[in-house]
Amino acid sequence: MIAWFAWAGYVLGYAALVVGAAALDDRVQAKAVAEALARHEAAKPDPAGAVPDDDLRLGIAAVAVLVQGDGGTQRAFWTVIIDMVARGVLEPGTTYDGKPTLQCSAGHRRKPARDASDTERKLWSLASYRNPASVAPHSVTHPIAQNLHAEGYLRGREVFIDFKAPRPVWSWTVAALTLPLAALMLFLFLHWRYAQVAMWTAIAMAVVAWALTMADDGRPEALRLPVLTERGDQAVRQARARHAHLDPAKRTDPYAPGEAAAAYAVFGPEAYNHFAAHTSGFSAAVDEGTDERQQNKDAEERQRNWNAFNG
């Protein structure tokens, strides 16, 4: 019984050393992260004043990318779709087999307007033979995000503040002490009738020591910079202030043709629901296109797996 108590005390003592070392290293790491954040804030230039009407210059599709906040273009895609439907360029209809779809309206089947954006031209062209809602958003609207990145409104998704992680001195110290501690464990308990327990305990200590020496190459999440730059934040603030009156929570009447896209870009799904509720056939056409895109995606994945299987 005494031997068991001695063994348990030994194991608990080593566990306390490991936990304590990890806690101390975490405290050092947290302090280093806080200092890196402080240095970054101190080195930032004074924020420039917002450029007047910058959101208007960018256009509502670009604003939609900025409001989405992660550099994705899904919201921009649906902003352009809603804008085209609201202005009568696209209209809900049915295919030859009766499925809901979005198609070019009778007055816009020959060619797009002269002032149409590149994204609108692409969607207008697609609408001549398929439901534009079935297209992968990124394939149409990714140039918008690229331009915003080039102009300094967006940064990459994996951009971190410069940071040199401190060495885990306490963990390394405990790892270095593990070998003599494990040897002492074997010396004290190997003659014991439960010698195998002592041996496996020493092996476990060696594994823990190895884990303590493994370097953590990942950067702390607290040091990740937001995708939007200060300039992007300014444009979003301008857009939110400019279009605050389009908040669907405060609207009962339908959006005007020039309001629907801005409402969705700023307020997202709530504005979509408000617009769809006042636009007959729109929601069904979008749902059908979304289902078709998913079916095509699943079919492509099955084909890739089949080709990989057959070499």
Side-chain angles (χ1 to χ4, degrees):
M1 182 63 70
I2 294 177
W4 275 112
F5 277 116
W7 173 82
Y10 202 94
V11 171
L12 291 175
Y14 180 74
L17 281 176
V18 172
V19 172
L24 289 172
D25 285 332
D26 286 345
R27 183 178 297 180
V28 173
Q29 172 93 344
K31 182 179 179 182
V33 169
E35 291 174 350
L37 288 170
R39 287 194 301 270
H40 175 74
E41 290 297 323
K44 286 173 61 176
D46 293 335
V51 179
D53 298 332
D54 203 20
D55 59 319
L56 293 180
R57 182 190 69 82
L58 290 172
I60 199 61
V63 167
V65 174
L66 296 178
V67 173
Q68 184 171 330
D70 61 358
T73 59
Q74 292 87 351
R75 183 173 288 207
F77 175 81
W78 294 113
T79 295
V80 178
I81 290 280
I82 288 173
D83 181 52
M84 294 176 72
V85 173
R87 292 188 293 108
V89 178
L90 296 178
E91 63 181 7
T94 55
T95 61
Y96 67 92
D97 55 355
K99 292 182 179 180
T101 189
L102 292 175
Q103 59 192 15
C104 292
S105 61
H108 295 82
R109 287 178 182 169
R110 289 193 173 184
K111 59 181 179 180
R114 291 183 179 181
D115 59 348
S117 65
D118 291 340
T119 304
E120 182 175 333
R121 290 178 183 275
K122 291 177 183 177
L123 291 171
W124 177 88
S125 178
L126 289 167
S128 62
Y129 63 92
R130 64 183 296 188
N131 186 347
S134 67
V135 180
H138 180 74
S139 66
V140 177
T141 50
H142 71 278
I144 300 174
Q146 290 177 334
N147 291 337
L148 290 170
H149 187 275
E151 294 184 30
Y153 293 91
L154 296 174
R155 59 171 62 93
R157 298 183 183 181
E158 296 295 326
V159 179
F160 291 81
I161 295 172
D162 290 335
F163 174 74
K164 184 176 181 180
R167 295 179 178 179
V169 176
W170 293 101
S171 294
W172 288 359
T173 301
V174 172
L177 290 173
T178 297
L179 184 59
L181 289 174
L184 181 61
M185 157 75 72
L186 292 174
F187 176 77
L188 293 175
F189 296 104
L190 195 58
H191 65 283
W192 185 31
R193 59 177 178 173
Y194 296 112
Q196 284 191 348
V197 175
M199 183 181 65
W200 283 110
T201 302
I203 293 174
M205 292 171 64
V207 172
V208 171
W210 173 79
L212 289 173
T213 60
M214 295 296 292
D216 183 9
D217 296 330
R219 298 186 182 184
E221 189 65 25
L223 298 178
R224 185 193 300 271
L225 291 171
V227 175
L228 262 66
T229 63
E230 177 61 27
R231 191 177 182 186
D233 280 331
Q234 290 175 350
V236 170
R237 288 195 293 269
Q238 287 179 349
R240 291 190 188 280
R242 189 182 306 279
H243 303 295
H245 64 288
L246 301 179
D247 186 349
K250 303 174 183 177
R251 293 284 294 248
T252 56
D253 55 317
Y255 290 124
E259 295 178 333
Y264 177 75
V266 174
F267 296 102
E270 292 81 8
Y272 172 90
N273 294 334
H274 185 81
F275 176 76
H278 292 87
T279 308
S280 178
F282 176 71
S283 182
V286 169
D287 291 344
E288 182 65 31
T290 303
D291 290 343
E292 181 181 340
R293 181 169 72 247
Q294 185 61 48
Q295 291 171 6
N296 292 338
K297 182 179 178 181
D298 293 342
E300 290 173 1
E301 184 64 27
R302 287 194 297 270
Q303 186 64 43
R304 270 197 300 270
N305 292 337
W306 174 258
N307 292 337
F309 177 76
N310 287 278

